Amino acid sequence: MHLTSTSEKIYIAGHKGLVGSAVLAHFAGLGYDNLVVRERTALDLRRQHDVETFFAKERPDFVILAAAKVGGIMANQTYPGEFIHDNLGIQLNVIQAAHNHAVKRLIFLGSSCIYPRQAPQPIREEFLLSGPLEPSNQWYSVAKIAGIKLCQAYSEQYGDDYVCLMPSNVYGPNDNFDRLNSHVLPALLRRFHEAKWGDDNRPVTVWGSGKPRREFLYSWDLARACHCVLSAPLETIRDVAPDAMMNVGMGHDITIAHLADLVKDVVGWNGAIEFDRSKPDGTSRKLLEIGRIKKLGWEPTTNLEEGLALTYDWFKSQPEWQHRER
C-alpha cells in the first residue's frame, strides 16, 4: 500500500544521519505530521528485543530504513567486522519487525557499491551479483546485498511491500566530515577548508590518482525519491521494478580530480593539489542507470555546484568550524 495521507505514521530510522535528516526535513516540509524518530541512545537498532518493543508500541504504517554504519575506504578497511556485523544486525531487526507488525511499505536504502567492481556502465539493477565486488568496501557491500535479498525474500514468501533504493554517492548537510572515516566529498571539503584557514601553504592531498569517476547525489534529492516511491501504487512499483530495486542518481559522473577542483573553488582556496598514488583508487567508475525511478516521475534537481555550495554553507555554520575561520 502507498501513502495516501499526511497523517499516516512514518518511522524514519537514522534521522540524525546524512540521508535520514534530509528525509525528515523534506517530509515535515510537505506537511507530514506523524513522523516517528528515535535517538540512537534511546533505541539501538542492533538489539532485536528493543526494536520489536519499539514497533509493538509505535505501529508505524511506513518505514524508511536510512540507519547504517557508513564510511569511506579507510573506515571499511579499519573496521571490517563492525561494518558487516552492525549493518546486518540493523537490517535484520528492522525488516523482521516491519514484517511482524504489518508495515504497509518499507524502503531499504542501499548503495551503488553493491554492484560488481567491473560492472558495465551505466550500471543496471540486474547487474547485482554478476561479478566480484570492490575489495576495499566489500564488508559494507555484502551487508547491503544481504539486506536487499532479505527484502526480496520477504516480498516473495509473504507478499510484503518492500522497495530497495540504491543511491549513488550521497552528500549534503549532516554528512560525516571525520578526518579518517568520511567519504571522498566531505573529506575534500574539510581538507580544503583547513588548508584555507591554516597556517601553511602546503598542497591539499587527494587519495589515489584522481582518475576514478563518481556520481554525486544531493541528500534532499534522495529524500524526494523516497517520497516518490512511498506515494506510488504497488502495481506501478511492480511494473517499473519487478525485483523491487531502483537506482537513484544524477545520470552523469565526474572524475575525482574534477571534484577536487570544484570543491577548491567552492571553498575559495588558491593553493595546489597533489594526488597520493600510493593510496587505493577504489572502483574505476560507478555510474547508475536511473530509468526505473524516472518512470515514477522523479528527477534530480540539484546540480553538483549548487549542492556543494549548500553543503559547505552548512559545514561552516557548525560551531566546531566557526572558530577556525579568521
Side-chain angles (χ1 to χ4, degrees):
M1 296 178 63
H2 62 286
L3 273 174
T4 58
S5 169
T6 55
S7 64
E8 292 185 281
K9 183 177 285 190
I10 305 171
Y11 170 46
I12 302 170
H15 73 286
K16 285 294 188 71
L18 165 63
V19 176
S21 62
V23 170
L24 178 61
H26 179 66
F27 276 71
L30 293 174
Y32 288 88
D33 55 7
N34 202 359
L35 303 173
V36 180
V37 298
R38 284 293 186 279
E39 300 283 345
R40 186 182 302 177
T41 53
L43 176 61
D44 187 341
L45 295 178
R46 298 169 299 179
R47 297 175 64 89
Q48 182 181 20
H49 177 268
D50 294 356
V51 175
E52 283 289 336
T53 301
F54 165 77
F55 269 77
K57 177 183 178 182
E58 293 293 342
R59 298 280 178 176
D61 299 307
F62 298 89
V63 173
I64 301 174
L65 180 46
K69 183 174 180 62
V70 299
I73 291 176
M74 173 66 79
N76 270 265
Q77 293 179 334
T78 305
Y79 310 108
E82 292 178 31
F83 267 81
I84 194 165
H85 173 273
D86 289 0
N87 284 304
L88 285 173
I90 291 168
Q91 295 162 189
L92 177 61
N93 293 336
V94 174
I95 292 169
Q96 179 65 43
H99 168 74
N100 291 343
H101 298 281
V103 164
K104 295 177 181 179
R105 178 173 295 168
L106 176 145
I107 290 181
F108 174 73
L109 287 162
S111 166
S112 61
C113 72
I114 63 163
Y115 293 112
R117 176 183 173 88
Q118 299 297 334
Q121 305 290 315
I123 303 172
R124 303 178 63 86
E125 291 85 352
E126 54 264 34
F127 295 164
L128 179 66
L129 295 177
S130 63
L133 299 169
E134 161 58 38
S136 63
N137 57 24
Q138 62 180 312
W139 316 108
Y140 180 77
S141 303
V142 167
K144 285 297 180 179
I145 291 170
I148 294 166
K149 288 302 177 182
L150 184 61
C151 288
Q152 292 175 339
Y154 276 45
S155 296
E156 181 174 332
Q157 183 172 350
Y158 303 113
D160 290 335
D161 186 356
Y162 297 161
V163 182
C164 303
L165 299 185
M166 301 301 116
S168 58
N169 294 57
V170 184
Y171 70 99
N174 289 303
D175 208 337
N176 173 18
F177 292 89
D178 183 82
R179 191 183 301 275
L180 296 177
N181 296 331
S182 58
H183 287 107
V184 59
L185 190 151
L188 289 177
L189 269 175
R190 173 171 175 161
R191 288 177 201 168
F192 281 109
H193 180 84
E194 291 179 332
K196 179 179 180 179
W197 301 106
D199 296 325
D200 59 64
N201 294 312
R202 289 180 296 178
V204 167
T205 301
V206 179
W207 274 30
S209 66
K211 296 179 180 178
R213 303 184 68 86
R214 292 293 182 269
E215 179 182 13
F216 296 95
L217 178 70
Y218 190 58
S219 56
W220 280 65
D221 279 340
L222 180 53
R224 291 176 44 251
C226 290
H227 182 257
C228 178
V229 168
L230 283 188
S231 302
L234 178 58
E235 299 76 17
T236 304
I237 296 289
R238 288 178 173 169
D239 180 60
V240 168
D243 57 5
M245 277 184 64
M246 295 185 206
N247 291 334
V248 188
M250 292 296 292
H252 56 83
D253 56 8
I254 65 170
T255 65
I256 297 300
H258 186 187
L259 173 67
D261 286 334
L262 291 177
V263 173
K264 174 181 174 180
D265 290 343
V266 165
V267 172
W269 188 68
N270 298 316
I273 299 173
E274 64 179 14
F275 294 91
D276 184 354
R277 289 173 170 78
S278 69
K279 298 294 192 298
D281 271 337
T283 304
S284 61
R285 194 180 190 193
K286 292 191 296 183
L287 176 63
L288 297 179
E289 201 287 319
I290 57 173
R292 289 186 177 184
I293 195 163
K294 289 176 72 174
K295 289 180 181 178
L296 294 184
W298 176 88
E299 293 270 3
T301 60
T302 310
N303 64 44
L304 184 54
E305 290 82 357
E306 178 186 2
L308 281 172
L310 290 168
T311 303
Y312 188 49
D313 285 344
W314 178 88
F315 174 85
K316 291 188 296 180
S317 73
Q318 301 308 295
E320 65 181 295
W321 298 106
Q322 288 178 342
H323 73 278
R324 305 189 187 194
E325 299 185 15
R326 59 168 188 250

